[in-house]
Amino acid sequence: QVQLVESGGGLGQPGGSLRLSCAASGSFISIDAMSWYRQASGKQREMVAAITTGGSTNYVDSVKGRFTIFRDNAKNTVYLQMNSLKPDDTAVYYCYVEVRVQPNIATDYWGQGTQVTVSS
């Protein structure tokens, strides 16, 4: 019904930048909130950044000032611009979206995850 395809992960240098994208496709009316989570090896999954339909954003303290979440509604895509990368940013990153499949029905979807490794 709805597919989320993530891209942009890979190997980044400390202090460098990467941009993740998550494109939604399928049958849906609209996308409500969109967010990025990450899970480092041996650690709990945490919400990294979130953006509402209206454009309000929220970030975990560890990425504030370095990461930016934004969305392109015309492309049904959410992005995570990651600057000033640190080794601690190494994790599998997942996009998470709330999709409105009917006017009064919303369904949550997870992306497949993309590995981000920050190392010199």
Side-chain angles (χ1 to χ4, degrees):
Q1 184 179 18
V2 178
Q3 296 82 42
L4 302 178
V5 179
E6 299 182 31
S7 62
L11 178 63
Q13 295 287 324
S17 299
L18 288 172
R19 179 181 291 180
L20 306 183
S21 65
C22 176
S25 62
S27 180
F28 54 87
I29 298 175
S30 62
I31 301 175
D32 294 332
M34 309 180 79
S35 60
W36 287 94
Y37 286 73
R38 69 184 181 186
Q39 186 166 19
S41 180
K43 298 183 178 180
Q44 296 180 326
R45 183 175 298 187
E46 65 176 351
M47 187 178 73
V48 178
I51 184 168
T52 68
T53 302
S56 298
T57 59
N58 189 40
Y59 301 91
V60 68
D61 287 344
S62 61
V63 309
K64 288 181 178 178
R66 300 189 299 117
F67 290 9
T68 303
I69 185 172
F70 60 100
R71 59 195 290 173
D72 185 337
N73 291 331
K75 297 181 179 180
N76 295 319
T77 300
V78 61
Y79 303 88
L80 184 67
Q81 179 66 45
M82 304 184 293
N83 297 327
S84 301
L85 287 167
K86 301 177 180 180
D88 286 346
D89 296 322
T90 297
V92 177
Y93 285 70
Y94 301 89
C95 66
Y96 174 78
V97 305
E98 185 177 88
V99 179
R100 194 162 295 276
V101 296
Q102 295 182 25
N104 296 315
I105 300 178
T107 304
D108 299 330
Y109 287 91
W110 288 93
Q112 82 279 8
T114 183
Q115 176 70 48
V116 171
T117 301
V118 182
S119 176
S120 60

